[in-house]
mmCIF file of all heavy atoms in Angstrom:
data_model
loop_
_atom_site.group_PDB
_atom_site.id
_atom_site.type_symbol
_atom_site.label_atom_id
_atom_site.label_comp_id
_atom_site.label_asym_id
_atom_site.label_seq_id
_atom_site.Cartn_x
_atom_site.Cartn_y
_atom_site.Cartn_z
ATOM 1 N N ARG A 1 -7.149 64.456 -5.204
ATOM 2 C CA ARG A 1 -8.248 65.261 -5.698
ATOM 3 C C ARG A 1 -7.844 65.905 -7.027
ATOM 4 O O ARG A 1 -6.723 66.431 -7.156
ATOM 5 C CB ARG A 1 -8.609 66.367 -4.684
ATOM 6 C CG ARG A 1 -9.154 65.807 -3.381
ATOM 7 C CD ARG A 1 -9.333 66.954 -2.388
ATOM 8 N NE ARG A 1 -10.271 67.956 -2.886
ATOM 9 C CZ ARG A 1 -10.349 69.205 -2.439
ATOM 10 N NH1 ARG A 1 -9.515 69.600 -1.473
ATOM 11 N NH2 ARG A 1 -11.233 70.054 -2.944
ATOM 12 N N LEU A 2 -8.733 65.853 -8.022
ATOM 13 C CA LEU A 2 -8.481 66.456 -9.319
ATOM 14 C C LEU A 2 -9.069 67.831 -9.354
ATOM 15 O O LEU A 2 -10.025 68.165 -8.641
ATOM 16 C CB LEU A 2 -9.103 65.597 -10.403
ATOM 17 C CG LEU A 2 -8.653 64.150 -10.518
ATOM 18 C CD1 LEU A 2 -9.394 63.435 -11.613
ATOM 19 C CD2 LEU A 2 -7.134 64.060 -10.745
ATOM 20 N N GLY A 3 -8.508 68.703 -10.176
ATOM 21 C CA GLY A 3 -9.031 70.041 -10.359
ATOM 22 C C GLY A 3 -7.980 71.097 -10.125
ATOM 23 O O GLY A 3 -7.046 70.926 -9.352
ATOM 24 N N LEU A 4 -8.161 72.230 -10.803
ATOM 25 C CA LEU A 4 -7.202 73.313 -10.702
ATOM 26 C C LEU A 4 -7.166 73.938 -9.317
ATOM 27 O O LEU A 4 -6.082 74.169 -8.738
ATOM 28 C CB LEU A 4 -7.540 74.385 -11.757
ATOM 29 C CG LEU A 4 -6.573 75.557 -11.883
ATOM 30 C CD1 LEU A 4 -5.145 75.096 -12.131
ATOM 31 C CD2 LEU A 4 -7.044 76.481 -12.993
ATOM 32 N N ARG A 5 -8.329 74.160 -8.742
ATOM 33 C CA ARG A 5 -8.382 74.777 -7.413
ATOM 34 C C ARG A 5 -7.775 73.859 -6.348
ATOM 35 O O ARG A 5 -7.042 74.308 -5.460
ATOM 36 C CB ARG A 5 -9.811 75.135 -7.080
ATOM 37 C CG ARG A 5 -9.983 75.858 -5.737
ATOM 38 C CD ARG A 5 -11.389 76.347 -5.549
ATOM 39 N NE ARG A 5 -11.728 77.327 -6.548
ATOM 40 C CZ ARG A 5 -12.934 77.922 -6.654
ATOM 41 N NH1 ARG A 5 -13.891 77.590 -5.771
ATOM 42 N NH2 ARG A 5 -13.176 78.812 -7.569
ATOM 43 N N ALA A 6 -8.087 72.589 -6.417
ATOM 44 C CA ALA A 6 -7.607 71.634 -5.419
ATOM 45 C C ALA A 6 -6.086 71.476 -5.466
ATOM 46 O O ALA A 6 -5.467 71.083 -4.499
ATOM 47 C CB ALA A 6 -8.253 70.284 -5.599
ATOM 48 N N ASN A 7 -5.477 71.776 -6.630
ATOM 49 C CA ASN A 7 -4.040 71.569 -6.814
ATOM 50 C C ASN A 7 -3.326 72.864 -7.179
ATOM 51 O O ASN A 7 -2.304 72.823 -7.891
ATOM 52 C CB ASN A 7 -3.824 70.500 -7.876
ATOM 53 C CG ASN A 7 -4.377 69.158 -7.477
ATOM 54 O OD1 ASN A 7 -3.824 68.435 -6.669
ATOM 55 N ND2 ASN A 7 -5.501 68.778 -8.090
ATOM 56 N N ALA A 8 -3.874 73.991 -6.743
ATOM 57 C CA ALA A 8 -3.376 75.291 -7.202
ATOM 58 C C ALA A 8 -1.906 75.494 -6.887
ATOM 59 O O ALA A 8 -1.158 76.047 -7.735
ATOM 60 C CB ALA A 8 -4.215 76.406 -6.560
ATOM 61 N N GLY A 9 -1.439 75.053 -5.725
ATOM 62 C CA GLY A 9 -0.048 75.290 -5.363
ATOM 63 C C GLY A 9 0.917 74.570 -6.276
ATOM 64 O O GLY A 9 1.879 75.166 -6.800
ATOM 65 N N GLN A 10 0.701 73.241 -6.432
ATOM 66 C CA GLN A 10 1.583 72.496 -7.315
ATOM 67 C C GLN A 10 1.446 72.946 -8.770
ATOM 68 O O GLN A 10 2.457 72.995 -9.490
ATOM 69 C CB GLN A 10 1.255 70.987 -7.208
ATOM 70 C CG GLN A 10 1.949 70.281 -6.085
ATOM 71 C CD GLN A 10 3.454 70.213 -6.276
ATOM 72 O OE1 GLN A 10 3.978 69.596 -7.201
ATOM 73 N NE2 GLN A 10 4.198 70.844 -5.357
ATOM 74 N N PHE A 11 0.245 73.278 -9.159
ATOM 75 C CA PHE A 11 0.041 73.743 -10.541
ATOM 76 C C PHE A 11 0.863 75.013 -10.810
ATOM 77 O O PHE A 11 1.585 75.112 -11.807
ATOM 78 C CB PHE A 11 -1.429 73.983 -10.812
ATOM 79 C CG PHE A 11 -1.765 74.273 -12.255
ATOM 80 C CD1 PHE A 11 -2.086 73.260 -13.125
ATOM 81 C CD2 PHE A 11 -1.698 75.575 -12.748
ATOM 82 C CE1 PHE A 11 -2.379 73.527 -14.458
ATOM 83 C CE2 PHE A 11 -1.962 75.859 -14.073
ATOM 84 C CZ PHE A 11 -2.317 74.823 -14.921
ATOM 85 N N ALA A 12 0.760 75.983 -9.896
ATOM 86 C CA ALA A 12 1.501 77.228 -10.069
ATOM 87 C C ALA A 12 3.018 76.984 -10.053
ATOM 88 O O ALA A 12 3.760 77.604 -10.817
ATOM 89 C CB ALA A 12 1.122 78.192 -8.930
ATOM 90 N N LEU A 13 3.464 76.077 -9.186
ATOM 91 C CA LEU A 13 4.884 75.749 -9.139
ATOM 92 C C LEU A 13 5.318 75.171 -10.481
ATOM 93 O O LEU A 13 6.404 75.528 -10.989
ATOM 94 C CB LEU A 13 5.141 74.748 -8.021
ATOM 95 C CG LEU A 13 6.611 74.296 -7.832
ATOM 96 C CD1 LEU A 13 7.446 75.476 -7.408
ATOM 97 C CD2 LEU A 13 6.669 73.191 -6.798
ATOM 98 N N LEU A 14 4.551 74.289 -11.081
ATOM 99 C CA LEU A 14 4.888 73.687 -12.367
ATOM 100 C C LEU A 14 4.865 74.705 -13.486
ATOM 101 O O LEU A 14 5.637 74.586 -14.450
ATOM 102 C CB LEU A 14 3.993 72.508 -12.641
ATOM 103 C CG LEU A 14 4.227 71.257 -11.795
ATOM 104 C CD1 LEU A 14 3.068 70.291 -11.908
ATOM 105 C CD2 LEU A 14 5.530 70.581 -12.204
ATOM 106 N N VAL A 15 3.986 75.674 -13.393
ATOM 107 C CA VAL A 15 3.995 76.767 -14.379
ATOM 108 C C VAL A 15 5.325 77.490 -14.316
ATOM 109 O O VAL A 15 5.976 77.777 -15.356
ATOM 110 C CB VAL A 15 2.838 77.760 -14.121
ATOM 111 C CG1 VAL A 15 3.006 79.039 -14.943
ATOM 112 C CG2 VAL A 15 1.481 77.105 -14.487
ATOM 113 N N GLY A 16 5.810 77.782 -13.087
ATOM 114 C CA GLY A 16 7.079 78.430 -12.942
ATOM 115 C C GLY A 16 8.246 77.577 -13.453
ATOM 116 O O GLY A 16 9.186 78.081 -14.083
ATOM 117 N N VAL A 17 8.184 76.282 -13.173
ATOM 118 C CA VAL A 17 9.237 75.374 -13.656
ATOM 119 C C VAL A 17 9.282 75.394 -15.176
ATOM 120 O O VAL A 17 10.387 75.436 -15.782
ATOM 121 C CB VAL A 17 9.013 73.946 -13.118
ATOM 122 C CG1 VAL A 17 9.923 72.935 -13.813
ATOM 123 C CG2 VAL A 17 9.253 73.904 -11.602
ATOM 124 N N ASN A 18 8.122 75.393 -15.830
ATOM 125 C CA ASN A 18 8.169 75.375 -17.301
ATOM 126 C C ASN A 18 8.639 76.708 -17.852
ATOM 127 O O ASN A 18 9.151 76.767 -18.949
ATOM 128 C CB ASN A 18 6.793 75.017 -17.880
ATOM 129 C CG ASN A 18 6.944 74.412 -19.238
ATOM 130 O OD1 ASN A 18 7.716 73.465 -19.437
ATOM 131 N ND2 ASN A 18 6.244 74.955 -20.234
ATOM 132 N N GLY A 19 8.456 77.792 -17.076
ATOM 133 C CA GLY A 19 9.089 79.050 -17.501
ATOM 134 C C GLY A 19 10.601 78.917 -17.539
ATOM 135 O O GLY A 19 11.237 79.412 -18.477
ATOM 136 N N LEU A 20 11.180 78.248 -16.570
ATOM 137 C CA LEU A 20 12.619 78.009 -16.598
ATOM 138 C C LEU A 20 13.031 77.116 -17.748
ATOM 139 O O LEU A 20 14.080 77.305 -18.375
ATOM 140 C CB LEU A 20 13.062 77.423 -15.241
ATOM 141 C CG LEU A 20 12.853 78.297 -14.026
ATOM 142 C CD1 LEU A 20 13.102 77.489 -12.736
ATOM 143 C CD2 LEU A 20 13.773 79.520 -14.063
ATOM 144 N N VAL A 21 12.183 76.110 -18.056
ATOM 145 C CA VAL A 21 12.463 75.249 -19.212
ATOM 146 C C VAL A 21 12.521 76.100 -20.482
ATOM 147 O O VAL A 21 13.412 75.940 -21.309
ATOM 148 C CB VAL A 21 11.382 74.144 -19.323
ATOM 149 C CG1 VAL A 21 11.579 73.313 -20.595
ATOM 150 C CG2 VAL A 21 11.413 73.222 -18.091
ATOM 151 N N GLY A 22 11.525 76.969 -20.640
ATOM 152 C CA GLY A 22 11.516 77.835 -21.808
ATOM 153 C C GLY A 22 12.710 78.770 -21.868
ATOM 154 O O GLY A 22 13.259 79.029 -22.950
ATOM 155 N N GLY A 23 13.159 79.253 -20.731
ATOM 156 C CA GLY A 23 14.307 80.125 -20.710
ATOM 157 C C GLY A 23 15.574 79.453 -21.229
ATOM 158 O O GLY A 23 16.429 80.117 -21.837
ATOM 159 N N MET A 24 15.688 78.166 -21.034
ATOM 160 C CA MET A 24 16.845 77.432 -21.588
ATOM 161 C C MET A 24 16.899 77.474 -23.101
ATOM 162 O O MET A 24 17.982 77.489 -23.703
ATOM 163 C CB MET A 24 16.832 75.982 -21.079
ATOM 164 C CG MET A 24 17.031 75.805 -19.596
ATOM 165 S SD MET A 24 18.629 76.431 -19.025
ATOM 166 C CE MET A 24 19.794 75.367 -19.861
ATOM 167 N N VAL A 25 15.737 77.458 -23.750
ATOM 168 C CA VAL A 25 15.695 77.637 -25.210
ATOM 169 C C VAL A 25 15.871 79.096 -25.573
ATOM 170 O O VAL A 25 16.572 79.420 -26.548
ATOM 171 C CB VAL A 25 14.342 77.113 -25.743
ATOM 172 C CG1 VAL A 25 14.221 77.388 -27.264
ATOM 173 C CG2 VAL A 25 14.224 75.591 -25.515
ATOM 174 N N GLY A 26 15.257 80.000 -24.823
ATOM 175 C CA GLY A 26 15.334 81.414 -25.131
ATOM 176 C C GLY A 26 16.740 81.977 -25.159
ATOM 177 O O GLY A 26 17.000 82.909 -25.914
ATOM 178 N N GLN A 27 17.664 81.391 -24.397
ATOM 179 C CA GLN A 27 19.029 81.906 -24.400
ATOM 180 C C GLN A 27 19.699 81.771 -25.773
ATOM 181 O O GLN A 27 20.636 82.490 -26.090
ATOM 182 C CB GLN A 27 19.869 81.178 -23.352
ATOM 183 C CG GLN A 27 20.115 79.700 -23.664
ATOM 184 C CD GLN A 27 20.939 78.980 -22.606
ATOM 185 O OE1 GLN A 27 21.878 79.556 -22.039
ATOM 186 N NE2 GLN A 27 20.575 77.747 -22.311
ATOM 187 N N GLU A 28 19.142 80.855 -26.626
ATOM 188 C CA GLU A 28 19.750 80.641 -27.938
ATOM 189 C C GLU A 28 19.021 81.360 -29.071
ATOM 190 O O GLU A 28 19.564 81.487 -30.166
ATOM 191 C CB GLU A 28 19.735 79.143 -28.262
ATOM 192 C CG GLU A 28 20.599 78.294 -27.378
ATOM 193 C CD GLU A 28 20.747 76.868 -27.901
ATOM 194 O OE1 GLU A 28 20.087 76.525 -28.930
ATOM 195 O OE2 GLU A 28 21.517 76.104 -27.320
ATOM 196 N N ARG A 29 17.761 81.793 -28.867
ATOM 197 C CA ARG A 29 16.910 82.177 -29.968
ATOM 198 C C ARG A 29 17.468 83.306 -30.813
ATOM 199 O O ARG A 29 17.346 83.295 -32.034
ATOM 200 C CB ARG A 29 15.536 82.566 -29.456
ATOM 201 C CG ARG A 29 14.759 81.466 -28.791
ATOM 202 C CD ARG A 29 14.224 80.458 -29.740
ATOM 203 N NE ARG A 29 13.203 80.973 -30.594
ATOM 204 C CZ ARG A 29 12.181 80.229 -31.070
ATOM 205 N NH1 ARG A 29 12.112 78.948 -30.756
ATOM 206 N NH2 ARG A 29 11.295 80.736 -31.863
ATOM 207 N N THR A 30 18.024 84.305 -30.188
ATOM 208 C CA THR A 30 18.547 85.443 -30.951
ATOM 209 C C THR A 30 19.984 85.210 -31.416
ATOM 210 O O THR A 30 20.350 85.579 -32.535
ATOM 211 C CB THR A 30 18.532 86.728 -30.073
ATOM 212 O OG1 THR A 30 17.148 86.996 -29.710
ATOM 213 C CG2 THR A 30 19.067 87.925 -30.807
ATOM 214 N N LEU A 31 20.774 84.542 -30.574
ATOM 215 C CA LEU A 31 22.231 84.594 -30.717
ATOM 216 C C LEU A 31 22.873 83.479 -31.520
ATOM 217 O O LEU A 31 23.911 83.689 -32.135
ATOM 218 C CB LEU A 31 22.863 84.694 -29.320
ATOM 219 C CG LEU A 31 22.410 85.862 -28.438
ATOM 220 C CD1 LEU A 31 23.194 85.831 -27.164
ATOM 221 C CD2 LEU A 31 22.568 87.175 -29.156
ATOM 222 N N LEU A 32 22.325 82.270 -31.429
ATOM 223 C CA LEU A 32 23.086 81.146 -31.974
ATOM 224 C C LEU A 32 23.361 81.215 -33.491
ATOM 225 O O LEU A 32 24.483 80.992 -33.925
ATOM 226 C CB LEU A 32 22.407 79.808 -31.637
ATOM 227 C CG LEU A 32 23.350 78.773 -30.996
ATOM 228 C CD1 LEU A 32 24.116 79.328 -29.811
ATOM 229 C CD2 LEU A 32 22.591 77.539 -30.614
ATOM 230 N N PRO A 33 22.376 81.597 -34.320
ATOM 231 C CA PRO A 33 22.702 81.765 -35.742
ATOM 232 C C PRO A 33 23.742 82.835 -35.974
ATOM 233 O O PRO A 33 24.631 82.677 -36.842
ATOM 234 C CB PRO A 33 21.328 82.125 -36.382
ATOM 235 C CG PRO A 33 20.317 81.605 -35.434
ATOM 236 C CD PRO A 33 20.932 81.766 -34.068
ATOM 237 N N LEU A 34 23.687 83.921 -35.218
ATOM 238 C CA LEU A 34 24.667 84.997 -35.372
ATOM 239 C C LEU A 34 26.013 84.574 -34.837
ATOM 240 O O LEU A 34 27.050 84.960 -35.385
ATOM 241 C CB LEU A 34 24.161 86.244 -34.606
ATOM 242 C CG LEU A 34 22.797 86.793 -35.027
ATOM 243 C CD1 LEU A 34 22.438 88.004 -34.189
ATOM 244 C CD2 LEU A 34 22.762 87.139 -36.498
ATOM 245 N N LEU A 35 26.040 83.737 -33.800
ATOM 246 C CA LEU A 35 27.289 83.234 -33.271
ATOM 247 C C LEU A 35 27.984 82.367 -34.328
ATOM 248 O O LEU A 35 29.206 82.432 -34.514
ATOM 249 C CB LEU A 35 27.028 82.415 -32.014
ATOM 250 C CG LEU A 35 28.209 82.022 -31.122
ATOM 251 C CD1 LEU A 35 28.879 83.237 -30.526
ATOM 252 C CD2 LEU A 35 27.741 81.078 -30.028
ATOM 253 N N GLY A 36 27.223 81.514 -35.039
ATOM 254 C CA GLY A 36 27.800 80.710 -36.090
ATOM 255 C C GLY A 36 28.428 81.539 -37.159
ATOM 256 O O GLY A 36 29.520 81.224 -37.657
ATOM 257 N N ARG A 37 27.742 82.615 -37.555
ATOM 258 C CA ARG A 37 28.293 83.479 -38.615
ATOM 259 C C ARG A 37 29.506 84.271 -38.143
ATOM 260 O O ARG A 37 30.519 84.352 -38.851
ATOM 261 C CB ARG A 37 27.171 84.431 -39.072
ATOM 262 C CG ARG A 37 27.551 85.322 -40.256
ATOM 263 C CD ARG A 37 26.546 86.442 -40.430
ATOM 264 N NE ARG A 37 26.593 87.368 -39.280
ATOM 265 C CZ ARG A 37 25.807 88.436 -39.199
ATOM 266 N NH1 ARG A 37 24.926 88.717 -40.131
ATOM 267 N NH2 ARG A 37 25.900 89.231 -38.117
#
């Protein structure tokens, strides 16, 4: 079945997973240029 309501559980889980994906980039955003210097 297609649709946001029909797949709400998996959709919400994947939103959370992509938050973790973003966090892997976020760990570098402030620090890496300063670490190099």
Side-chain angles (χ1 to χ4, degrees):
R1 295 174 60 200
L2 302 178
L4 184 55
R5 182 172 298 178
N7 297 285
Q10 274 293 296
F11 188 92
L13 181 64
L14 287 166
V15 169
V17 169
N18 206 52
L20 296 170
V21 175
M24 293 300 295
V25 174
Q27 68 180 322
E28 295 191 355
R29 295 287 292 210
T30 300
L31 302 184
L32 230 53
L34 303 179
L35 192 65
R37 185 194 65 180

